[in-house]
Amino acid sequence: MAEPAGSDVLRGTLDLLILKTLSLEPMHGWGISQRIQELSRGLLDVNQGSLYPALQRLEHRGWVTSRWGTTENNRKARYYSLTARGQQGLTHEAEDWRRYAGAVGWILEAT
Amino acid sequence: MAEPAGSDVLRGTLDLLILKTLSLEPMHGWGISQRIQELSRGLLDVNQGSLYPALQRLEHRGWVTSRWGTTENNRKARYYSLTARGQQGLTHEAEDWRRYAGAVGWILEAT
DNA sequence: ATCGTTCCTGTAGGAACTCTACAGGAATCT
DNA sequence: AGATTCCTGTAGAGTTCCTACAGGAACGAT
């Protein structure tokens, strides 16, 4: 078990998180979810039921490409990497997020 | 017209924004959306089609109560205010948001 | 007094995303 | 051989949001 800190609700930022993770390094699905968990210090937990459909969406949109490969552990895995359009999309969505999170912050600070 | 700065996508934070706004002062629906727009400096735009259902959800959940009243402009309007449970909910959701936004921030800053 | 506009409340239908739960293959460890 | 870890998916449902539509009442202008 070890419950990585039960979190849910990826309020529409799953794509952003995946893209960012892939921009660091091409990776397979399972690895992406691990990475997101590490980088968020255990706060964010991505279910496979959300992850794989999201990856399919992104690939269908042309933001990522994938190919079968082998992990260091000698397991078959599908590796995803960012396309140029994916990089642009990431930049744009990250900017969107900052703006949006900032606006929410202003409201929460209001007195 | 005057397009208040077309924004959409209230990624699951609409309830939070409404609760926070009501914690500042009881208000009617239309006023709430104005307030959110002002406080977010024009970045956030709440559609009526999202707002009223959200208010109904919150009332049904017992987080807000409402009653008919009259505005300064002599218009009939339904005024909403926070209940004790709503205040608790706000505190909790605001805390959730900060944690979540922080985690996303960490990921976006990763190199 | 009528017309257009602002203020204000809703509903209907659909699209998008996430969650829970399920299913399974292949490699490694015991 | 059996259990566990690694890894990829699918199905179905629930929630939330958006677009579009509908309408009443007060106000301002002509």
Side-chain angles (χ1 to χ4, degrees), chain A residues 8-22 29 32-37 44-58 61 63-64 82 90 93 97, chain B residues 9 11 100 104 107-108:
Chain A
D8 43 357
V9 189
L10 284 304
R11 333 184 189 202
T13 54
L14 180 55
D15 289 4
L16 173 60
L17 297 177
I18 291 175
L19 293 171
K20 174 64 189 182
T21 303
L22 289 179
I32 293 172
S33 77
Q34 293 293 305
R35 206 82 150 85
I36 290 178
Q37 211 165 92
L44 268 26
D45 188 19
V46 182
N47 312 314
Q48 321 98 279
S50 308
L51 180 67
Y52 292 104
L55 286 169
Q56 289 168 11
R57 279 201 305 272
L58 290 171
R61 207 186 301 166
W63 288 21
V64 306
L82 271 190
L90 166 57
E93 290 212 354
W97 164 260
Chain B
V9 188
R11 334 185 186 201
Y100 176 72
V104 173
I107 295 182
L108 291 185

Side-chain angles (χ1 to χ4, degrees), chain A residues 9-13 16-17 20-21 24 36 39-41 43-44 90 93-94 96-101 103-111, chain B residues 9-13 16-17 20-21 24 36 39-41 43-44 90 93-94 96-101 103-111:
Chain A
V9 189
L10 284 304
R11 333 184 189 202
T13 54
L16 173 60
L17 297 177
K20 174 64 189 182
T21 303
L24 299 175
I36 290 178
L39 291 174
S40 71
R41 309 178 195 179
L43 283 173
L44 268 26
L90 166 57
E93 290 212 354
D96 262 14
W97 164 260
R98 289 197 185 86
R99 210 181 352 244
Y100 175 74
V104 173
W106 289 333
I107 294 182
L108 291 185
E109 290 162 12
T111 51
Chain B
V9 188
L10 284 305
R11 334 185 186 201
T13 54
L16 173 60
L17 297 177
K20 174 64 190 184
T21 303
L24 300 174
I36 290 177
L39 291 175
S40 72
R41 308 176 197 181
L43 282 175
L44 267 26
L90 167 56
E93 291 212 353
D96 262 14
W97 164 259
R98 289 197 185 87
R99 208 177 358 241
Y100 176 72
V104 173
W106 289 333
I107 295 182
L108 291 185
E109 289 162 13
T111 51

